[in-house]
Each structure stands twice: as C-alpha cells, then as structure tokens.
Amino acid sequence: MGASFLSTLPSLVSVPSLTISTTPTIRCPSHAVAIRCHKMDTDVPGENVLRRREVLKCFGATVGMELLASSGSFVEMASAADLIQRRQRSEFQSSIRQTLSAAIKGKPELVPYILTLALNDAITYDKATKSGGPNGSIRFSSEISRPENKGLSAALNLIEEAKEEIDSYSKGGPISFADLIPYAGQSAVKATFLASAIRKCGGNEQKGSILYSAYGSSGQWGLFDRQFGRTDSQEPDPEGRVPQWEKATVQEMKDKFSSIGFGPRQLAVMSAFLGPDQAATEALLATDPDVTPWVQKYQRSRETVSQTDYEVDLITTLTKLSSMGQQINYEAYTYPVRKIELSKLKL
C-alpha cells in the first residue's frame, strides 16, 4: 500500500462490505512503525473478511501512532533533557559521596554522632501537622544546642566544612542541608558496613573492601539516591519532638518511633543511631519483649559474611525516614548544557 492508513478511512467505515486481497496480512504503515491487521477466517468461501473489532483496533492504533509520530521530536527532546539531568545529578551525587567519605575517613570517631544527627534532624516529623522531618533545621544554633542534640556539634561542623567544598564545585547551585545531612548519614552507615567487613578479614583493608564490594548492599541504595532535592527549612523545628536517647526508656523510644509510623523492628535496626555505644543501646532494647526478637535477629545477621538482613532493613528504614514530609525537586542541582556552535569550530 502506498497510501497512509488514514487516507483509507472512508472505505473502512463500510465494514460489512469490506474485502481485502488474499495476502496473509495488511501492513498499515505510519511513518517508521508497522501495524499489522491480521486476517480472520470466516465461513464465506473464497473471501477474507476483516472483523469490525480488528478494523477498529487497527484504526485506533494507527491514529495513535500518527499522533505520536507528529510529536516525536518533542518526545525525543524531553527524553534527552531528562537523561542529561539524570546524568548531572548522578555525577554530582558521586562527587558528594567522595567528599563525605574522605571527611569521615579523616574523623572516624564522629560516625556515631553523624548517625544521631541525621536521625534527630529527621525524626522531628509530625504526622498530624505534616511538619518537621529531614529539612536541615538542626543546623540552627537554637536547635543544635538543645539537650537532645548534646555532643552533635562536631558532627555538624564536619558537614558544614564538607558543604563548603561541595558548593565550590557544584554546577547547579549550593547543596541544601536537608540533602547533605541524610547523605552524611548514608556515608556514615556505609563506613560502618565497610568497617565490619574489614574486621571479618582480620583488619586487612584491601580484603575487607573486596568483601564488602562482593557481598555488601550497595545496590540497595537506589530509592534513597532518587530522593535528592529537598528544601531547607528557614526556621528551627518545634521543641519537644526528639527524646534524649541516652535517658529515654525503651517505651519512650517505641512511642516516638510509633508516632512516625515505625515499630519495634525499625527501632532495633536503628540502634546505631541512638547513641555512641551500639552494644549498650541494644542491651537496653533487648529488655523489651517486643524489641528483643529484632535485636537478636540483627545481631545474628551482623555475624554473617553479608549481614544482608541487617543492611537491607537499615537502608530501607533510613530511606523512609529521610523522605518524611519532604517534597522532592527532581530537577535540583541540574544546569543548562552549553551549546556548541559548529560554525565556530576550527577543523
């Protein structure tokens, strides 16, 4: 057929009298896309008749392809722009991780405090008012100086120094504290995973890195990384939303976690975030019958080579915690691509 399928529309309206040639199929070309209208067997000898439903299917599909083809250039442009933005964000995230990893490696003693800082910034989320959450408000002096944040200033200073370096090479504007603090928490978590692998290799860093690369949970961070583009709060979060973890009872911890939609399982897996001594925290949590099974589960998991249960559940919980109450701008940190004028190129 040399004509467009749409040009045959008048002949298709009279479906009962429609006949076609005896070739197996009719091709209905629409630009570069082929749509086949399959022959249907009938009881009429010597004739090949298309059923009404087949005609309508072919017609509808062809109309759709005509419309898509007419807007193809816009679709291609949108897809290309989206891919460029994804690449820009991915490259920026990779640089952020390198900066944070280097900063944490230089001050490994701050890892537990970075974890608590990330938790305390995020757990201010209030379900009733949809306020608080991981919004970077802990950077304000009036909030970091609260009793529940005692001892976290050094961790905040490390993040502020890292931010200066990150902002210096960012092409898409300064990074928000609301993004940087969860990423610092992620880097600190990865540091604990790697340290565990190194211990299992007798302290050999090279073998530990290989072990973590082979059996670790790096591939589980995808959703966490996509939630990138949070906006900083312009004021401190209300007081009284974060317990003093070192003084809180297990029931008070359970109540706080319950208020944001978490249960004993999430409380147990976040034990490293509740104070500088994870073993002491878990000993306290194990006194509660609701939390005990989960504490024991994650302790057993950490003794395995891959510690899969512990790592996957921790990543899942941290990912959910780091997105509570936040609107993500998926175009954040992207920037216009410089156009190259071919006419000015010297060959």
Side-chain angles (χ1 to χ4, degrees):
M1 293 175 66
S4 168
F5 184 84
L6 291 181
S7 67
T8 66
L9 184 57
S11 64
L12 289 177
V13 174
S14 181
V15 175
S17 60
L18 177 67
T19 60
I20 63 174
S21 65
T22 57
T23 54
T25 61
I26 292 177
R27 296 182 181 270
C28 309
S30 175
H31 297 270
V33 181
I35 301 177
R36 299 175 182 270
C37 308
H38 295 284
K39 179 187 72 176
M40 302 299 297
D41 295 332
T42 67
D43 295 333
V44 180
E47 291 187 324
N48 298 302
V49 182
L50 281 175
R51 291 182 181 177
R52 181 185 299 270
R53 179 174 296 178
E54 294 302 309
V55 173
L56 293 177
K57 282 183 179 179
C58 189
F59 170 65
T62 304
V63 171
M65 294 309 302
E66 291 276 359
L67 294 175
L68 284 175
S70 66
S71 61
S73 60
F74 296 102
V75 173
E76 291 172 3
M77 289 174 61
S79 298
D82 183 56
L83 288 174
I84 290 172
Q85 290 183 341
R86 289 186 184 183
R87 186 189 66 190
Q88 291 174 348
R89 286 162 59 88
S90 177
E91 290 175 350
F92 186 41
Q93 288 172 323
S94 179
S95 297
I96 292 169
R97 283 190 284 266
Q98 291 176 9
T99 299
L100 288 170
S101 178
I104 290 173
K105 188 174 182 178
K107 296 182 178 180
E109 70 278 4
L110 293 181
V111 164
Y113 301 99
I114 293 172
L115 296 178
T116 304
L117 181 78
L119 172 63
N120 285 7
D121 186 54
I123 209 165
T124 57
Y125 178 65
D126 181 67
K127 293 176 66 175
T129 61
K130 307 296 183 184
S131 63
N135 55 20
S137 65
I138 201 169
R139 73 188 188 278
F140 291 111
S141 59
S142 59
E143 186 167 336
I144 192 66
S145 61
R146 293 173 184 171
E148 65 268 19
N149 296 324
K150 182 179 179 181
L152 303 183
S153 295
L156 180 60
N157 290 340
L158 180 145
I159 292 173
E160 289 174 336
E161 292 173 2
K163 186 180 189 304
E164 291 182 6
E165 180 179 345
I166 292 167
D167 289 347
S168 71
Y169 59 69
S170 173
K171 299 178 182 179
I175 187 172
S176 67
F177 280 95
D179 276 330
L180 187 55
I181 291 173
Y183 264 76
Q186 179 197 47
S187 295
V189 167
K190 288 183 176 181
T192 66
F193 292 168
L194 178 59
S196 176
I198 292 173
R199 283 195 300 271
K200 291 171 184 175
C201 292
N204 188 306
E205 291 189 10
Q206 183 178 8
K207 291 182 178 179
S209 296
I210 294 173
L211 176 65
Y212 179 58
S213 297
Y215 294 99
S217 54
S218 297
Q220 300 296 322
W221 289 103
L223 181 56
F224 181 95
D225 290 338
R226 284 195 293 273
Q227 296 171 348
F228 185 56
R230 304 171 186 84
T231 302
D232 277 341
S233 172
Q234 298 306 308
E235 59 184 7
D237 284 335
E239 295 187 56
R241 292 187 177 184
V242 183
Q244 295 185 50
W245 303 114
E246 70 278 7
K247 296 181 179 181
T249 65
V250 178
Q251 186 60 51
E252 289 172 338
M253 296 181 189
K254 288 167 60 178
D255 290 344
K256 180 57 194 178
F257 271 64
S258 177
S259 71
I260 61 171
F262 286 169
R265 180 176 188 169
Q266 289 75 30
L267 176 60
V269 82
M270 294 286 285
S271 59
F273 289 68
L274 301 174
D277 189 342
Q278 184 177 17
T281 300
E282 287 188 329
L284 174 62
L285 294 176
T287 62
D288 186 281
D290 294 330
V291 189
T292 299
W294 298 109
V295 171
Q296 294 173 345
K297 173 185 174 71
Y298 297 130
Q299 287 176 338
R300 289 193 300 268
S301 178
R302 291 200 298 271
E303 294 301 318
T304 64
V305 172
S306 63
Q307 56 181 27
T308 301
D309 289 343
Y310 174 66
E311 290 192 7
V312 170
D313 282 6
L314 179 52
I315 293 170
T316 301
T317 301
L318 184 59
T319 299
K320 184 176 180 180
L321 180 69
S322 299
S323 63
M324 289 185 171
Q326 302 306 299
Q327 295 293 326
I328 306 299
N329 175 13
Y330 293 99
E331 296 182 356
Y333 313 117
T334 60
Y335 49 91
V337 178
R338 183 181 178 182
K339 295 183 179 180
I340 300 176
E341 296 185 21
L342 297 179
S343 62
K344 294 183 179 181
L345 290 178
K346 295 182 179 181
L347 301 178

